[in-house]
Amino acid sequence: MIAGLNLTAGARTTLNTRSDTAPPPIQKYPWARQVIAIAVILFLLLGGLEMGARTLTRQSANPTLYRITQDYGRLASRGPDWIRFVPDEELAYRLRPEFELNASQGGGKTIHNSEGFREEAPFPPKDGDTLRICCYGGSTTYGVGVESNNDTYPAQLEQTLWGAARGQGWERIEVFNLGVGGYTSREILGTMKRTIPLLKPDVVLIQNAINDVIPRFYPEFQADYSHFRTPFTPLTVSHWHKLLYRSHAWLTMAHGLGWIRPLSLQSQTQRPMPPVDEALVNLDANPTTAFEDNLRAEVALARESGAQVWLLTQPYLDVPDFAGPDADSRKLEGGYRKGLAQHTEVVVRLSKEMNTGLVPLHESMPRERAFYSDPIHMSAAGNQRKAALIADSMGPTLPKHPAPAN
């Protein structure tokens, strides 16, 4: 009996214990904590990866990688309107009309007028009392290397020639900058065909030589330069692109895999350059004939309009500051210098044959580092000196104001 009673009491105790204890709570979302934990870990990993990539791009000796992060970052924040070029069916590309870029250091502005040239205002109608000078060329005319329109050589030339123009009976002088970065003699000729009939210049200045070296680096040379030139493709930026382009980690990976290239004019308008040794062989194989033919056509076109014509040669500053970072780039620079010297000979010879004015800047421009921002582009001081040298050459022979008809 006692044993039975003890068993029953034990059973009751056990039953009471089970009935008095609440069951464990059932989690409604058992996976939520795991997802949150994984998300936090991924966030920390991606954040660390991004910080590492930003440190890498700041400290990297590879200028291309830094350029990519800067260019695509601007593209993400500002859209494609910050790029100063737009497509052109005939010339591959041209300057973006009404473009404006504030100087990074303050004080200066790059401005394009409504016609798409580096001028503050639209071109006014021709005034019979105004001496009009049109400057054609590539980036050395456009003014790469200076941030303000006022520091380009055409703007400086307008100020420098004012007295000489008054001495020839003109009441005013206009000097227009019609240079476009990267243009070869072919595109300069096309620009002249478009603008000379509209602007009716009294004087035309032409400077082109260095950009025409580049087509000669390529195989299967074509006189119209179609073997190296590619159409300019406008860029579009989706919301997804805006997110990716802000990430240095993604840009570094995409560049390494060859998905993207720097947003340079060369990458957007030229086929990839051949290997250096092949490019130098091509330079020797491809003659200067196309450049000479285009230059002859430029002079003839300006002459047909009744303008006085002046040809400008291109100086090249070869100093240690501008030396390439590796053997291949230094070899390619040697090719540029060689090709430029050949084109300079063409310019000098044609100026004599076609009886044009000549400003031999390759001889007269001082070889001082302060005047240059790279081997061919000039600083503000360099553009000022360049304008003074041009004025010294052409000032005494400026066209005289036509006498009024009786």
Side-chain angles (χ1 to χ4, degrees):
M1 288 294 294
I2 295 174
L5 288 172
N6 289 341
L7 180 61
T8 304
R12 285 177 183 164
T13 302
T14 303
L15 291 173
N16 288 339
T17 301
R18 290 177 180 174
S19 62
D20 293 341
T21 304
I26 300 175
Q27 294 186 359
K28 190 175 182 180
Y29 302 106
W31 43 266
R33 290 185 178 179
Q34 297 179 3
V35 170
I36 293 172
I38 292 172
V40 170
I41 292 172
L42 286 176
F43 178 80
L44 293 174
L45 286 175
L46 292 175
L49 182 63
E50 180 64 20
M51 291 178 63
R54 288 177 180 270
T55 301
L56 173 65
T57 54
R58 283 195 301 267
Q59 299 178 353
S60 175
N62 183 357
T64 302
L65 184 58
Y66 178 80
R67 177 73 180 272
I68 282 176
T69 57
Q70 295 298 303
D71 288 351
Y72 282 89
R74 289 195 198 100
L75 190 61
S77 61
R78 298 179 54 184
D81 288 348
W82 76 274
I83 297 175
R84 69 190 68 204
F85 303 101
V86 293
D88 186 280
E89 290 186 5
E90 180 185 354
L91 303 178
Y93 67 96
R94 60 188 177 91
L95 294 176
R96 182 183 296 276
E98 299 181 341
F99 171 85
E100 184 172 317
L101 181 66
N102 292 322
S104 58
Q105 302 299 324
K109 281 186 178 181
T110 297
I111 300 174
H112 299 170
N113 65 10
S114 57
E115 288 88 352
F117 292 100
R118 193 171 185 180
E119 289 289 333
E120 302 275 331
F123 297 126
K126 183 71 164 69
D127 184 338
D129 292 325
T130 301
L131 176 67
R132 176 168 287 183
I133 300 175
C134 288
C135 303
Y136 292 93
S139 57
T140 54
T141 300
Y142 175 85
V144 168
V146 296
E147 296 175 319
S148 172
N149 283 21
N150 295 329
D151 289 331
T152 63
Y153 101 75
Q156 291 292 318
L157 185 62
E158 183 173 292
Q159 299 179 32
T160 308
L161 279 178
W162 167 236
R166 288 294 298 270
Q168 298 289 34
W170 301 96
E171 294 184 7
R172 290 169 297 278
I173 182 173
E174 297 169 333
V175 181
F176 293 152
N177 186 339
L178 297 159
V180 180
Y183 268 14
T184 66
S185 58
R186 176 187 175 276
E187 289 93 18
I188 293 171
L189 177 59
T191 302
M192 293 175 67
K193 289 178 180 179
R194 291 181 179 181
T195 57
I196 283 182
L198 299 174
L199 298 178
K200 301 178 175 60
D202 302 293
V203 182
V204 168
L205 274 63
I206 304 170
Q207 183 179 38
N208 56 175
I210 190 71
N211 289 334
D212 284 74
V213 176
I214 303 172
R216 296 175 58 200
F217 285 142
Y218 287 74
E220 301 178 4
F221 185 87
Q222 300 294 319
D224 64 357
Y225 295 165
S226 58
H227 65 292
F228 101 105
R229 181 68 81 197
T230 59
F232 183 89
T233 303
L235 295 168
T236 57
V237 186
S238 66
H239 294 297
W240 181 242
H241 286 129
K242 289 182 179 180
L243 178 63
L244 291 177
Y245 292 166
R246 284 184 167 89
S247 169
H248 286 212
W250 186 88
L251 290 172
T252 301
M253 180 192 70
H255 172 56
L257 295 174
W259 295 349
I260 58 174
R261 295 195 295 169
L263 297 178
S264 65
L265 180 62
Q266 289 74 21
S267 69
Q268 293 178 280
T269 63
Q270 299 174 14
R271 302 184 194 281
M273 180 78 78
V276 172
D277 290 337
E278 180 184 338
L280 297 178
V281 170
N282 293 334
L283 177 68
D284 291 333
N286 296 327
T288 62
T289 309
F291 170 69
E292 181 172 338
D293 290 344
N294 289 335
L295 186 56
R296 285 183 181 276
E298 291 168 6
V299 173
L301 179 62
R303 281 260 173 78
E304 289 173 5
S305 73
Q308 184 185 89
V309 184
W310 286 79
L311 302 182
L312 281 57
T313 60
Q314 173 65 58
Y316 191 107
L317 184 65
D318 182 16
V319 296
D321 282 1
F322 298 145
D326 52 57
D328 277 351
S329 62
R330 290 191 289 272
K331 287 168 65 176
L332 191 62
E333 286 171 7
Y336 273 107
R337 292 196 301 274
K338 180 178 180 179
L340 177 59
Q342 294 169 342
H343 291 174
T344 299
E345 292 178 2
V346 172
V347 173
V348 173
R349 174 167 52 82
L350 283 188
S351 70
K352 296 177 181 178
E353 291 181 10
M354 303 188 76
N355 195 29
T356 73
L358 176 69
V359 185
L361 294 172
H362 70 293
E363 296 176 345
S364 58
M365 189 68 195
R367 297 296 193 269
E368 297 178 20
R369 174 65 177 81
F371 290 145
Y372 293 81
S373 58
D374 62 36
I376 62 169
H377 298 111
M378 296 182 181
S379 63
N383 276 275
Q384 187 175 19
R385 178 60 66 89
K386 178 179 177 179
L389 292 171
I390 295 170
D392 289 343
S393 295
M394 64 185 298
T397 63
L398 286 177
K400 293 184 178 181
H401 186 285
N406 295 326

